[in-house]
Amino acid sequence: DTEVTQTPKHLVMGMTNKKSLKCEQHMGHRAMYWYKQKAKKPPELMFVYSYEKLSINESVPSRFSPECPNSSLLNLHLHALQPEDSALYLCASKGQGGSEQYFGPGTRLTVT
Amino acid sequence: AQSVTQLDSHVSVSEGTPVLLRCNYSSSYSPSLFWYVQHPNKGLQLLLKYTSAATLVKGINGFEAEFKKSETSFHLTKPSAHMSDAAEYFCVVSENSGYSTLTFGKGTMLLVSP
C-alpha cells in the first residue's frame, strides 16, 4: 500500500482564521514533506521531517507551523494567512530504501 | 547542484499515436530520476523511477523512459496515447543523499485529442 491521505480536500478560510491540514501514512516511512503548489507550477518544498524532527524549513513564513505528532501523522497549522497563500498543499512521504516520494491528493486552500 | 529541464511546456498528440516527453538533467552525483503525473486537482503519482539499475525503465500505464548518461537525458515515451493520459508530467531528480529532496522540472502538459 503506497497511500498517503490528506484532509480536508478543500478548505476556505479568512485571513484571521486558524485551521490545520492533516496528512497520514501507514507505510512506516520516517521522512515526511510539505509542499505548496501554485497553478501551472511544480511543487515547492516547504518542510521536511525526518524521524519526527523538523530537518528542513525552506524559509517558510511563521504563519505556517508544521507539527509531526508521531511517525504516521503530519500536520500543518495555518494562522493569519494571506490571499497569496491560496494553493494546493501536498504532503509526501519517503521510505528508507529509496529516494522516491509518495504524494497525497492534496488540500486545495483558498484564503479570502 | 542539480537541475531539470523539460524541453516542452505543452505536447499535443492524437489518441493512438506515440508520446514523447523530453527531459534533460544536471547533477553532481549519480542521481535518481523520476517521472510523476498529475491529473487536474489531484496529487502526484509516481510513473516510473531510475535508480542506477537498468537504463530502460518501465512504468505504469505503458510508459517507459530511457536513462542516457552521455546525453544527460531521461525522456518519457509511450507507444500509443490514450485520452486518459492527458495530464501534467513532471521530470524529477534526486541526489540520493541527505533528505533526498526532489528537484522538479517545470512540467509538460500532455494534450490528447480524439
Side-chain angles (χ1 to χ4, degrees):
Chain A
D1 182 13
T2 54
E3 187 177 28
V4 176
T5 60
Q6 290 186 244
T7 56
K9 288 186 178 180
H10 302 275
L11 179 61
V12 179
M13 60 185 291
M15 290 190 283
T16 58
N17 290 159
K18 286 185 179 182
K19 296 286 185 183
S20 297
L21 309 185
K22 293 183 186 296
C23 173
E24 190 167 5
Q25 56 87 15
H26 294 287
M27 296 178 279
H29 292 173
R30 303 308 295 271
M32 296 185 75
Y33 307 76
W34 279 116
Y35 290 85
K36 174 183 178 180
Q37 186 180 26
K38 301 286 274 185
K40 301 188 187 304
K41 298 287 188 182
E44 298 174 1
L45 182 64
M46 299 174 73
F47 302 104
V48 179
Y49 271 83
S50 178
Y51 289 87
E52 295 91 72
K53 289 189 177 5
L54 182 63
S55 303
I56 295 178
N57 176 341
E58 292 285 7
S59 304
V60 179
S62 59
R63 58 186 184 269
F64 294 91
S65 175
E67 178 198 20
C68 191
N70 62 54
S71 60
S72 300
L73 290 174
L74 187 65
N75 297 322
L76 186 63
H77 303 298
L78 314 172
H79 174 54
L81 295 192
Q82 304 297 309
E84 60 264 29
D85 296 323
S86 298
L88 182 68
Y89 287 84
L90 294 163
C91 173
S93 70
K94 185 186 80 68
Q96 285 187 295
S99 53
E100 66 272 21
Q101 295 178 22
Y102 294 93
F103 286 80
T107 294
R108 173 70 62 189
L109 174 67
T110 303
V111 181
T112 61
Chain B
Q2 54 192 11
S3 66
V4 177
T5 302
Q6 291 185 243
L7 297 161
D8 305 290
S9 60
H10 293 82
V11 169
S12 295
V13 301
S14 299
E15 192 175 21
T17 64
V19 175
L20 170 64
L21 305 184
R22 298 182 293 166
C23 173
N24 287 103
Y25 72 93
S26 172
S27 176
S28 304
Y29 303 96
S30 183
S32 289
L33 291 158
F34 312 97
W35 278 96
Y36 284 87
V37 61
Q38 186 176 32
H39 288 89
N41 296 311
K42 301 289 187 185
L44 278 72
Q45 181 183 18
L46 181 65
L47 270 182
L48 50 78
K49 60 181 181 180
Y50 166 77
T51 55
S52 77
T55 56
L56 182 61
V57 181
K58 293 187 184 298
I60 61 172
N61 301 334
F63 285 94
E64 303 188 335
E66 186 171 8
F67 174 73
K68 292 187 176 180
K69 187 174 181 179
S70 60
E71 299 176 10
T72 61
S73 69
F74 190 58
H75 300 335
L76 182 70
T77 61
K78 182 173 181 178
S80 176
H82 192 273
M83 295 295 290
S84 60
D85 294 328
E88 186 89 31
Y89 290 79
F90 292 102
C91 182
V92 181
V93 63
S94 172
E95 286 194 344
N96 299 321
S97 62
Y99 301 107
S100 294
T101 55
L102 303 180
T103 299
F104 287 81
K106 292 187 176 181
T108 298
M109 176 63 73
L110 177 64
L111 306 168
V112 183
S113 56

